[in-house]
Amino acid sequence: MTAAATAQLAFDGSGIDGSLFTSVTDFARDTKWLNTPLELWTNLGLGVFAVLMLMGWWNARRRDTRAMTVALAAPVAVVVAFAAAEVVKKIVGEVRPCRSVPHAYIVDACPAPSDYAFPSGHTTTAAATVAALFLLDRRLSAIAAVFAVIEGFTRVYVGAHYPHDVLGSALLALPVAYLTSLALRRWATPLVAALSRSALRPLLTAESRMVPQHAR
């Protein structure tokens, strides 16, 4: 199937909130000094969520096995949410705004026609991190939430997604990541407890192995 045929078969989401989208992209046109910083942030900013999950893991080493299980489950939950979003993206097949609203000011490069818009993969990753950290550390989850809002805004600002793509990502990622973390906390805690007694102990707990008195 040619790129043109693919584009014709795709769903046009501009009728949902195209006016709001163009309002944001008009703002981008009026703030060209922000274009490059936000275009860089919209991709590189995802590293913040990886750092927050690493912080959660590091802090969990000083807590119990359940906390460590949730910390290890966080990236798994994000991957599961992202995979679910990719399935939805193929099902919905919403054409990117750069193709359906060609008159809009677009900062980001227009992807291939087969790279659909709904939901936003970047925002899915961000929102999933918020949910994955919620069971582990509410403070880290709150910090992730702030950055997730910024990430969602930048996806619209650079012209990569409509506002409903971002909102839909959050509505999908939050429950999927939360339930995945919840399930893994229940099912994987015994496994993590067993691994904590293995050579992986330094990665799973900050406590040193107790040496019996007779072994000294």
Side-chain angles (χ1 to χ4, degrees):
M1 183 177 291
T2 65
T6 301
Q8 289 176 356
L9 292 175
F11 170 67
D12 183 356
S14 61
I16 299 175
D17 51 9
S19 59
L20 179 57
F21 170 79
T22 54
S23 294
V24 176
T25 56
D26 285 348
F27 173 69
R29 180 171 52 218
D30 295 337
T31 55
K32 291 185 178 179
W33 56 274
L34 259 181
N35 288 183
T36 299
L38 291 191
E39 186 177 17
L40 289 172
W41 170 265
T42 198
N43 293 311
L44 299 180
L46 292 179
V48 170
F49 302 102
V51 170
L52 290 173
M53 285 188 281
L54 281 173
M55 291 175 63
W57 160 75
W58 184 258
N59 294 337
R61 293 173 67 247
R62 295 171 175 80
R63 297 171 60 186
D64 58 16
T65 305
R66 278 164 57 92
M68 177 52 69
T69 303
V70 176
L72 296 176
V76 178
V78 172
V79 170
V80 170
F82 186 84
E86 286 300 298
V87 172
V88 173
K89 184 173 290 191
K90 295 299 182 183
I91 293 174
V92 176
E94 179 189 72
V95 69
R96 291 276 183 166
C98 58
R99 299 183 186 283
S100 57
V101 192
H103 60 277
Y105 180 79
I106 306 295
V107 176
D108 209 12
C110 193
S114 59
D115 186 353
Y116 299 121
F118 181 89
S120 162
H122 288 67
T123 312
T124 295
T125 299
T129 304
V130 175
L133 290 175
F134 186 78
L135 290 173
L136 177 64
D137 188 319
R138 300 291 173 83
R139 182 177 60 178
L140 289 179
S141 180
I143 294 172
V146 173
F147 282 108
V149 171
I150 296 172
E151 181 65 30
F153 171 76
T154 63
R155 298 312 290 157
V156 182
Y157 181 93
V158 301
H161 291 280
Y162 295 107
H164 69 262
D165 297 334
V166 171
L167 178 59
S169 301
L171 293 177
L172 171 67
L174 289 172
V176 171
Y178 179 82
L179 292 175
T180 300
S181 292
L182 197 63
L184 288 175
R185 185 180 69 175
R186 177 179 179 181
W187 297 330
T189 296
L191 174 60
V192 174
L195 292 174
S196 297
R197 297 188 292 271
S198 71
L200 295 176
R201 181 181 178 83
L203 297 176
L204 303 177
T205 177
E207 298 178 1
S208 59
R209 185 183 295 275
M210 297 298 293
V211 180
Q213 290 289 336
H214 62 77
R216 294 180 180 179

